[in-house]
Amino acid sequence: MSHFPLFEKDNAPKDSVEWLEKAEQNFGLIPNVEKVMALSPQLLAGYTFMWDGFNTSSLDEQERQVVYMTANFENECNYCVPWHTILAEQSGLSKDDIEALRGGGKLSNAKQNALSEFTRRMIANRGKVSQMQLQEFFDAGYNDQQALEVILALSVKLISNYTNSIAGTPLDKEASHNRWSKPLIEEKSE
């Protein structure tokens, strides 16, 4: 039995309805992750507000997807990777770079690769990157503001990735063609 129901606008807590409507405006449908978050209007409101804020950051659309996809990979979010694969395609990222993001690999664009690497290091070290690692990010062409914007994106991803993890959010049919699980090295048989 699931502890995390999927709410619709007609049965959601009243304070979540406006945020579900906002999700529907943003995506043309209400994704299941927002339906789960609707149980906590405060969580859904915060998530939506931060999502919209990151969309207006100084990082371009492709760069935003690089950060999101890297976080989804590192946090092993089977729900978010398929959706962000669609968003990465819409942003114009190459098929090869999208596959690299889905596999934890290196991107063809050096600047975007530095952004992905900085994002990965921020997650792995819980925000405690070295001065040298931060300088590598700056040397790639990024600035102080954009370092802070990565933190904003990681906050968005913490909310969605962790929600999906504890809720076992079912993947929407619209993204099911991009199903994903983290590619790991399998144990060899003797």
Side-chain angles (χ1 to χ4, degrees), residues 23-36:
E24 192 170 36
Q25 289 170 5
N26 286 344
F27 302 109
L29 65 122
I30 302 171
N32 285 341
V33 67
E34 279 91 343
K35 291 177 182 181
V36 169

Side-chain angles (χ1 to χ4, degrees), residues 18-31 34 44-45 47-53 55-56 61 68 83 87 90:
E18 72 176 285
W19 301 108
L20 291 173
E21 289 171 346
K22 178 78 170 148
E24 192 170 36
Q25 289 170 5
N26 286 344
F27 302 109
L29 65 122
I30 302 171
E34 279 91 343
L44 181 57
Y47 174 76
T48 304
F49 181 79
M50 289 191 303
W51 176 279
D52 289 346
N55 274 348
T56 61
E61 190 175 358
Y68 278 155
W83 271 114
L87 296 174
Q90 291 172 353

Side-chain angles (χ1 to χ4, degrees), residues 7 14 24-25 33 66 89 97 117-118 163 167 184 188:
F7 287 100
K14 70 178 177 71
E24 192 170 36
Q25 289 170 5
V33 67
V66 167
E89 289 167 349
D97 282 341
E117 189 58 34
F118 178 72
T163 295
L184 301 173
K188 296 177 184 176

Side-chain angles (χ1 to χ4, degrees), residues 20-134:
L20 291 173
E21 289 171 346
K22 178 78 170 148
E24 192 170 36
Q25 289 170 5
N26 286 344
F27 302 109
L29 65 122
I30 302 171
N32 285 341
V33 67
E34 279 91 343
K35 291 177 182 181
V36 169
M37 288 182 195
L39 183 58
S40 171
Q42 298 80 4
L43 179 72
L44 181 57
Y47 174 76
T48 304
F49 181 79
M50 289 191 303
W51 176 279
D52 289 346
F54 188 58
N55 274 348
T56 61
S57 73
S58 66
L59 295 170
D60 69 31
E61 190 175 358
Q62 288 184 5
E63 291 168 323
R64 291 193 305 268
Q65 289 310 312
V66 167
V67 175
Y68 278 155
M69 287 286 284
T70 301
N72 292 334
F73 177 87
E74 293 300 321
N75 292 329
E76 204 170 331
C77 189
N78 297 353
Y79 180 88
C80 289
V81 169
W83 271 114
H84 282 277
T85 297
I86 293 169
L87 296 174
E89 289 167 349
Q90 291 172 353
S91 79
L93 277 171
S94 73
K95 189 175 191 89
D96 289 343
D97 282 341
I98 292 170
E99 284 309 307
L101 289 164
R102 287 174 59 97
K106 187 174 179 176
L107 300 173
S108 63
N109 177 298
K111 185 176 180 185
Q112 290 176 349
N113 192 66
L115 176 61
S116 180
E117 189 58 34
F118 178 72
T119 301
R120 184 174 286 106
R121 288 171 172 167
M122 287 289 289
I123 293 167
N125 297 303
R126 295 181 301 280
K128 306 275 194 241
V129 296
S130 71
Q131 185 60 48
M132 183 182 291
Q133 291 169 330
L134 184 59

